[in-house]
Amino acid sequence: MFPLRDENPTLLTPIITIALIALNVAVWVYVEGMGLSPEVLATSVCEFGVIPAELTGQSPYEGVLLDPRLPPCRFGGLRWVTLLTSMFLHGGWMHLIGNMWFLWLFGNNIEDSMGRLRFLVFYLLTGLAASGAHIFSAPDSTLPTVGASGAISGVMGAYLVLYPRVRIYTLFVFFIFIRIIPIPAWLVLGEWFVVQMLSGLMEPGMGGGVAFWAHVGGFVAGVVLVKLFENRKLVEARRRHRRLRAEELPHRGWW
């Protein structure tokens, strides 16, 4: 299942969400060179990505070889600052596009429910929590981790708490069966979370190059922190707006 859009209109212009997307794209273009040069991409990931073993001191090695054509990734860089910088780097075009799609789909609604400054702080905190979960799950890993998916997972956790019944139009593909089906957010996000949990249990660390426990940690942080950051007036205004829209439209089941 791949979510395409939701039935959750925004009342405010999502400036922070747009700015975060623009910043991620700018870093991909100007820092990572759009992935066109393996050396530039590997160097940026080494310098600005989170390397658990570097932070915990649990590896006898000084770095890790990302590409046999390039020098090894050395330890001793930004260290703890990478918990922040890693959120804005990506490993490839599809990694970037997928993350930015999910950030736009869910982030604009959460920003609309918190206000801009609260949303920014919430986003960064859940991203830090995601990195912390990954380090805890693989303290001796020498592979650098990058990506906004941990923070975006926190946004998705917040969406689950605030808008569990909102319908999300989801692309469903099963062999030759291809349909776009409106599905409640609790089912879409719940299925996604279960997949991350199971994947993390079956493939500890970075199974298949994916830090599943970072996704789990970010999501749980979002669920736990959302009520501390929500702006109740904004949330109630959004709910009233949705009720009015629902009264204007004919009732339709999600099946």
Side-chain angles (χ1 to χ4, degrees):
M1 296 193 298
F2 186 84
L4 300 175
R5 65 180 180 88
D6 62 4
E7 292 183 341
N8 208 4
T10 55
L11 302 180
L12 303 175
T13 302
I15 292 176
I16 296 300
T17 300
I18 294 172
L20 287 170
I21 292 172
L23 180 57
N24 277 275
V25 172
V27 169
W28 172 247
V29 172
Y30 295 106
V31 177
E32 299 184 272
M34 296 187 290
L36 298 177
S37 166
E39 183 176 2
V40 171
L41 180 60
T43 299
S44 60
V45 169
C46 286
E47 290 182 357
F48 301 109
V50 170
I51 305 176
E54 180 182 18
L55 301 182
T56 62
Q58 294 193 30
S59 172
Y61 305 106
E62 294 182 356
V64 61
L65 189 65
L66 291 182
D67 189 320
R69 298 168 296 176
L70 302 173
C73 177
R74 297 294 183 185
F75 290 178
L78 297 176
R79 293 180 62 80
W80 294 101
V81 178
T82 59
L83 294 175
L84 180 63
T85 59
S86 63
M87 292 187 219
F88 300 96
L89 279 81
H90 291 83
W93 275 106
M94 294 307 298
H95 189 200
L96 174 70
I97 293 171
N99 276 347
M100 295 306 99
W101 181 264
F102 275 69
L103 177 55
W104 173 253
L105 178 60
F106 298 108
N108 57 1
N109 296 123
I110 301 306
E111 179 179 350
D112 209 36
S113 305
M114 294 181 176
R116 296 184 178 109
L117 182 58
R118 288 188 187 187
F119 174 68
L120 177 60
V121 174
F122 173 85
Y123 180 89
L124 296 176
L125 282 179
T126 54
L128 292 174
S131 292
H134 174 61
I135 294 170
F136 182 81
S137 70
D140 59 347
S141 174
T142 57
L143 291 175
T145 306
V146 296
S149 55
I152 296 168
S153 298
V155 173
M156 293 165 66
Y159 196 105
L160 175 64
V161 173
L162 295 180
Y163 307 111
R165 292 189 294 273
V166 169
R167 300 195 308 175
I168 299 175
Y169 285 83
T170 304
L171 178 65
F172 185 85
V173 180
F174 185 74
F175 294 103
I176 62 172
F177 179 81
I178 303 175
R179 292 289 187 276
I180 296 176
I181 306 173
I183 301 176
W186 68 264
L187 184 55
V188 175
L189 297 174
E191 183 267 346
W192 180 89
F193 179 72
V194 169
V195 169
Q196 305 308 306
M197 281 281 294
L198 293 177
S199 299
L201 291 171
M202 291 186 293
E203 301 183 65
M206 289 185 65
V210 180
F212 292 111
W213 287 110
H215 297 171
V216 172
F219 192 94
V220 171
V223 169
V224 172
L225 294 175
V226 60
K227 286 298 182 179
L228 296 177
F229 283 87
E230 72 169 342
N231 184 316
R232 294 184 179 179
K233 292 182 179 179
L234 292 177
V235 172
E236 287 303 317
R238 288 174 52 78
R239 288 173 178 165
R240 286 195 301 270
H241 183 66
R242 283 206 321 278
R243 285 196 295 268
L244 291 174
R245 283 174 58 91
E247 292 172 359
E248 294 172 357
L249 297 173
H251 176 73
R252 294 172 293 172
W254 62 272
W255 297 101

